[in-house]
Amino acid sequence: MNQDNQPLLEVKNLKKYFPVKGGVLGRTVGEVKAVDDVSFEVYPGEILGIVGESGCGKSTTGKSILRLIEPTEGEVLFEGKDITKLNNEQMRLLRKDMQIIFQDPYASLNPRHTVEKIINEPLMIHTDAKKAERRERIKELLKVVGLSPYHASRYPHQFSGGQRQRIGIARALANNPKLIICDEPVSALDVSVQSQVLNLMEKLRDEFQLTYIFIAHDLSVVKHISDRVGVMYLGKMVEIAPKDQLYEHAKHPYTQALLSAVPDPDPDIQRERIILEGDVPSPQDPPSGCPFHTRCPMAMDICKQELPQFLPVEDNHVVACHLYNDQQQHLSKHKKGELV
Ligand code: SF4
């Protein structure tokens, strides 16, 4: 991954609001701000992890990027082109390059179709390959994901959870995509199988120069696979940094609290657990100012009134928190050449 390259994907001010209907007439009475002004880039060959508690908007972000649900506002630039402006046919052609792997492989694989038929489908849609060529490609894909060609004639229920996720990966790889959004791809699997699937995904990234957005709630899983990690809270990205920087020097109080709950493999390291008070507020009625201020142990007066900006605090380390306003301003002036 080289951040001097052009990003493969740029997400700019992405919003996804769902209307809330109420009353006898079913009128719109409010909005759930599932994704609220999220911006980030993903570079070719990179694995960007996105973490946060359930309901923080991470999966909705992934689906909005692929337009599996239509974004309310914002831009999604894939290789420099804003795909939110594409019509259905243009989007259909682009889906070859942008794939998704879902959490529950069983639900995402048609139980009445054989593995061959499941993997054949994207090949039929996006290529003119003849039947024999497609068959060969299916066999090759099964081998690539650690299954055998004879598995092609079987049905999803005949496989274990880990094997089913391998089928989902083979289907996603069928047309040599550039970007794969992995939406909690291992959270339905046993811990012993999780690392096998993660190792496979890493191997495939290297072998096929893939780029992943890896969405998960489990910080250990994200740490295992990601190059950079973004943390979401209540529809907003609150921190993003290279993996080691984030796990060792988290800046945002929410990230610090999340990390304090992750057991360290080194028994000599005792982290002080930060217990957050209260529940996650409703995204239908998020708090004023910083959305985390109702639970933040460091909250100040300004936090209740002003939304902190999502700005770099160090190179490649971006955070939305008033604690770093001075550092962020200093860095910004330095970059503009106002300081020497
Ligand atoms: Fe806490 Fe204030 Fe920072 Fe929000 S802006 S995370 S409330 S210190």
Side-chain angles (χ1 to χ4, degrees):
M1 190 258 312
N2 182 354
Q3 289 202 13
D4 296 335
N5 287 342
Q6 288 299 313
L8 178 67
L9 181 82
E10 285 174 88
V11 176
K12 294 187 177 176
N13 310 105
L14 185 72
K15 294 183 183 173
K16 178 63 197 176
Y17 294 174
F18 293 102
V20 178
K21 307 278 182 189
V24 188
L25 300 174
R27 291 209 176 104
T28 302
V29 293
E31 290 173 318
V32 170
K33 297 180 176 178
V35 179
D36 195 11
D37 207 5
V38 165
S39 301
F40 59 88
E41 298 96 41
V42 191
Y43 292 85
E46 179 179 35
I47 303 182
L48 175 73
I50 299 184
V51 282
E53 292 162 292
S54 82
C56 71
K58 54 192 188 308
S59 289
T60 309
T61 301
K63 288 182 188 135
S64 301
I65 289 170
L66 292 183
R67 291 184 59 195
L68 297 177
I69 47 179
E70 284 299 331
T72 307
E73 245 181 82
E75 293 179 1
V76 177
L77 280 79
F78 183 74
E79 298 186 312
K81 192 193 286 177
D82 184 3
I83 65 168
T84 63
K85 308 269 189 310
L86 300 183
N87 63 29
N88 287 348
E89 178 55 18
Q90 290 167 323
M91 201 58 218
R92 190 185 70 78
L93 294 173
L94 193 77
R95 286 200 195 286
K96 177 175 165 299
D97 291 332
M98 302 171 84
Q99 288 291 313
I100 187 163
I101 301 169
F102 292 101
Q103 170 179 4
D104 182 351
Y106 197 54
S108 68
L109 304 175
N110 189 327
R112 287 191 294 275
H113 288 178
T114 60
V115 169
E116 176 165 348
K117 195 161 179 188
I118 288 167
I119 305 177
N120 189 40
E121 202 181 347
L123 294 170
M124 295 258 291
I125 294 172
H126 292 292
T127 70
D128 323 322
K130 302 269 177 335
K131 195 172 175 185
E133 289 169 301
R134 293 198 307 270
R135 279 215 151 134
E136 274 314 300
R137 175 77 179 138
I138 292 164
K139 280 188 200 164
E140 187 189 314
L141 284 162
L142 287 173
K143 283 195 231 157
V144 160
V145 298
L147 295 171
S148 299
Y150 69 79
H151 285 129
S153 58
R154 296 197 180 165
Y155 290 86
H157 74 266
Q158 295 175 291
F159 294 90
S160 68
Q163 287 175 319
R164 284 200 286 264
Q165 197 53 290
R166 286 171 192 266
I167 298 166
I169 294 170
R171 179 178 57 182
L173 287 177
N175 289 308
N176 297 317
K178 293 176 181 164
L179 174 73
I180 303 184
I181 296 192
C182 314
D183 187 4
E184 299 268 12
V186 297
S187 41
L189 305 178
D190 289 343
V191 175
S192 58
V193 182
Q194 284 187 352
S195 53
Q196 291 170 18
V197 173
L198 290 173
N199 291 341
L200 170 69
M201 292 179 70
E202 257 185 310
K203 182 177 122 218
L204 296 174
R205 185 266 298 255
D206 297 341
E207 211 170 315
F208 300 110
Q209 290 87 47
L210 297 167
T211 303
Y212 296 141
I213 295 179
F214 192 96
I215 296 165
H217 67 277
D218 183 330
L219 278 102
S220 311
V221 165
V222 169
K223 186 177 183 188
H224 182 110
I225 196 160
S226 307
D227 298 309
R228 275 190 310 141
V229 177
V231 181
M232 285 188 73
Y233 182 78
L234 215 58
K236 291 192 179 292
M237 191 69 85
V238 297
E239 183 162 11
I240 195 164
K243 169 176 71 178
D244 292 339
Q245 175 75 6
L246 189 103
Y247 280 75
E248 281 157 37
H249 305 287
K251 304 272 184 204
H252 197 283
Y254 176 62
T255 315
Q256 290 169 350
L258 281 185
L259 287 172
S260 78
V262 179
D264 199 291
D266 182 346
D268 293 335
I269 295 182
Q270 298 271 324
R271 280 210 187 105
E272 195 185 333
R273 178 92 193 257
I274 304 168
I275 310 280
L276 293 177
E277 303 286 335
D279 294 325
V280 182
S282 162
Q284 196 181 331
D285 185 21
S288 60
C290 170
F292 188 54
H293 85 253
T294 52
R295 303 172 77 202
C296 179
M298 318 283 282
M300 306 167 284
D301 283 345
I302 187 177
C303 307
K304 295 180 194 152
Q305 285 130 29
E306 274 184 41
L307 179 68
Q309 286 185 279
F310 190 55
L311 292 172
V313 67
E314 286 169 21
D315 276 344
N316 302 323
H317 195 153
V318 187
V319 65
C321 175
H322 290 304
L323 290 171
Y324 304 99
N325 285 354
D326 290 348
Q327 267 172 270
Q328 288 168 326
Q329 277 174 17
H330 186 84
L331 188 68
S332 149
K333 283 184 184 163
H334 192 71
K335 283 199 168 157
K336 285 186 202 150
E338 291 171 22
L339 294 178
V340 275

